[in-house]
Amino acid sequence: MTAALPRKNRTRHTRAPSGRRTSITDNDIYGIFEPLSRHAQLTTKQLVAYDRRYPMKTRERLTQLFHEDSEWLGRLGQDVKFANYLTVDEIHRLGSDAAQLLIAKGIIPNAEWVFATRIGGHSNTPSRIVRLAHDHMASNIALDIEIGAREDKNAQFVSHIDIIKAAPAATRLLKKPLRIPVPDTVGAPKWIEPDALFGLGNRYYALEADMGTETIETIIRGKILAYREIVASCTIDDHLGIDNLTVLFVTTREPRMRSMMEELRAIARDGRTPRFAFACRPDLGDFMHTPAPIGEMFRASWERVGYEALQIDAHQS
């Protein structure tokens, strides 16, 4: 009897094509490729939560697509080796062939700004783990809100790509159209770029994911001043073609959230403002152990300074 040859296992971060061609389905396009065109990278857990297929099917499909000859998916592990990589959830990126397919089908514009405005797209040097963790947090919150809105038949989620596509022509010509110029304001930066931008119906939201690495008295205060000014001066009207904006801050520690709210109270007229809302999610502090997005942030109560809590699931008109 001839001994069976040992099975050669595929490595996690090196492609090992099977030789069979995989037909790309609509589920692949809208459950994996399309969200990855809006997020710089997403974990297996996040994509399983977003995709409408059974979790096991999505996991298998992510593996198949990565190991294809075509450039459908990439993995962060190809560039960065985590010390405990065996326990780290796989982090996926959109491949060049998948991007071209989305463009050919008209799902995303053939424009440079599409990939410059991806949520969590700031980790160009992935060895900066703190930045990667922040970007992962921003994507998790944005996906969570989108999943919640998708499950609500009365909700209409508007992505940042859709917002930019409807923006003035001059903005669409910019490489980074979400980098919004701020009129000269003492204590504010010259421009502000939200971690994520989205709409629910005709209400628009900027998301700021905060992991406690920025000083409240300077950086956070500067962001608050910048957002107040671009709304008050109608800069967002001219730049993005939208006439309202609510800023959502998400922190990982309750005391820090309270300190941020107190800073806002000191800035706001009469110590109250409806334009900012806050939430605390300690479970998002460690990107290696964050829970899957399930729509919780869409249904959550967001605290405000001087106003009752905001419910974004009921704040769409």
Side-chain angles (χ1 to χ4, degrees):
M1 180 180 294
T2 303
L5 293 175
R7 181 179 177 181
K8 185 178 180 180
N9 293 324
R10 294 188 291 190
T11 60
R12 291 182 65 180
H13 305 306
T14 302
R15 286 191 173 88
S18 65
R20 297 190 300 270
R21 293 289 295 174
T22 297
S23 298
I24 301 301
T25 67
D26 283 348
N27 285 326
D28 297 330
I29 292 171
Y30 293 101
I32 297 175
F33 297 162
E34 191 277 333
L36 279 172
S37 73
R38 295 183 283 113
H39 295 259
Q41 56 252 333
L42 292 173
T43 65
T44 297
K45 186 185 298 183
Q46 290 171 327
L47 286 167
V48 165
Y50 186 85
D51 194 8
R52 295 180 183 273
R53 287 174 284 195
Y54 289 112
M56 184 59 69
K57 178 62 177 177
T58 302
R59 291 178 183 277
E60 292 175 351
R61 198 61 173 154
L62 288 169
T63 298
Q64 292 169 357
L65 291 170
F66 172 71
H67 285 291
E68 273 289 301
D69 281 325
S70 300
E71 295 284 337
W72 298 120
L73 293 178
R75 289 179 177 176
L76 182 63
Q78 293 173 284
D79 306 313
V80 180
K81 304 303 179 186
F82 293 98
N84 54 344
Y85 75 97
L86 291 176
T87 64
V88 175
D89 200 16
E90 209 67 77
I91 302 175
H92 307 272
R93 290 174 166 174
L94 190 69
S96 57
D97 289 333
Q100 288 304 313
L101 179 61
L102 294 179
I103 292 171
K105 287 184 171 292
I107 296 172
I108 60 174
N110 186 12
E112 187 177 6
W113 59 258
V114 171
F115 299 101
T117 58
R118 289 177 298 182
I119 299 168
H122 304 292
S123 297
N124 295 322
T125 53
S127 59
R128 297 177 61 186
I129 300 301
V130 171
R131 186 73 218 188
L132 178 63
H134 167 272
D135 289 354
H136 177 270
M137 179 180 175
S139 283
N140 213 67
I141 298 165
L143 268 185
D144 195 273
I145 293 171
E146 182 177 357
I147 289 171
R150 188 174 65 183
E151 295 171 351
D152 185 338
K153 64 180 181 180
N154 296 316
Q156 179 190 5
F157 183 85
V158 184
S159 73
H160 71 271
I161 289 182
D162 290 329
I163 293 173
I164 297 170
K165 283 168 61 177
T171 298
R172 298 197 306 272
L173 292 174
L174 298 173
K175 180 180 179 180
K176 295 184 176 182
L178 290 186
R179 182 169 287 189
I180 306 168
V182 178
D184 288 340
T185 304
V186 176
K190 295 185 181 299
W191 52 266
I192 187 75
E193 183 175 6
D195 291 326
L197 180 73
F198 64 91
L200 292 170
N202 61 2
R203 306 296 302 180
Y204 298 94
Y205 301 88
L207 172 67
E208 289 290 336
D210 177 78
M211 297 199 72
T213 59
E214 298 174 331
T215 59
I216 293 176
E217 297 79 6
T218 54
I219 305 300
I220 300 302
R221 179 183 176 85
K223 289 183 178 182
I224 291 172
L225 292 171
Y227 280 119
R228 279 170 51 89
E229 188 59 31
I230 64 172
V231 173
S233 65
C234 297
T235 298
I236 61 166
D237 301 58
D238 298 333
H239 188 78
L240 292 173
I242 61 179
D243 61 1
N244 65 86
L245 186 69
T246 300
V247 184
L248 306 175
F249 277 95
V250 182
T251 70
T252 59
R253 294 191 302 109
E254 179 84 12
R256 182 171 173 84
M257 184 185 81
R258 297 297 168 195
S259 296
M260 292 168 68
M261 294 177 71
E262 285 303 311
E263 190 69 29
L264 174 60
R265 193 186 309 276
I267 294 172
R269 179 180 299 177
D270 300 324
R272 59 200 301 264
T273 175
R275 292 178 182 167
F276 297 83
F278 299 81
C280 182
R281 287 289 303 272
D283 55 345
L284 298 182
D286 181 356
F287 84 98
M288 294 184 184
H289 301 96
T290 54
I294 57 174
E296 181 179 352
M297 301 304 290
F298 176 71
R299 299 182 292 269
S301 294
W302 296 75
E303 295 193 43
R304 293 190 287 187
V305 172
Y307 284 81
E308 63 182 15
L310 173 67
Q311 298 287 153
I312 64 175
D313 60 345
H315 191 236
Q316 301 176 50
S317 62

